[in-house]
Amino acid sequence: MQRLAADIGNDLDHGVISAWAQELKAWVALNDGDYRRAVTEAQIGQAMAPHSPIVVQLLGHEAEALGRIGDLPAAERALGRMNELRTKMPRPDQPSITISSKLPSSTKSRS
């Protein structure tokens, strides 16, 4: 999935899609315990779409990885940037609406 997203972002020269692919890479690195790679992937993604909301998530991944490495001052700086950006973003009109609520009923999983 992350490779497909990266390919689409690259083919379309679309920084936001590419940044979302980087977010997935950073998340996978975090879950794998490869914290230095997580920091690198998160920083690459931030550079791809610096004014996109995905940067908030990327900064969160970066901060978590830095904290796990033990670089608390850098983690706090990343959290500060994350909170600053988050507060500047508009509030969603309908925060309770999720992607799955917009899917046709035939595509939703059945319980």
Side-chain angles (χ1 to χ4, degrees), residues 28-70:
V28 168
L30 273 172
N31 285 300
D32 288 346
D34 190 347
Y35 304 124
R36 295 196 188 283
R37 183 169 56 96
V39 170
T40 299
E41 299 292 3
Q43 290 173 343
I44 290 169
Q46 292 168 52
M48 291 174 163
H51 304 291
S52 168
I54 188 58
V55 172
V56 172
Q57 186 71 26
L58 287 159
L59 283 164
H61 290 333
E62 179 183 353
E64 180 178 351
L66 288 165
R68 291 182 182 265
I69 290 168

Side-chain angles (χ1 to χ4, degrees), residues 68-103:
R68 291 182 182 265
I69 290 168
D71 190 346
L72 298 182
E76 288 177 356
R77 285 190 301 274
L79 285 173
R81 290 193 314 270
M82 181 186 78
N83 284 325
E84 181 182 333
L85 288 173
R86 184 185 51 79
T87 59
K88 291 179 181 177
M89 292 187 178
R91 297 191 79 131
D93 292 335
Q94 299 175 338
S96 63
I97 293 180
T98 63
I99 291 172
S100 65
S101 69
K102 294 181 181 182
L103 293 174

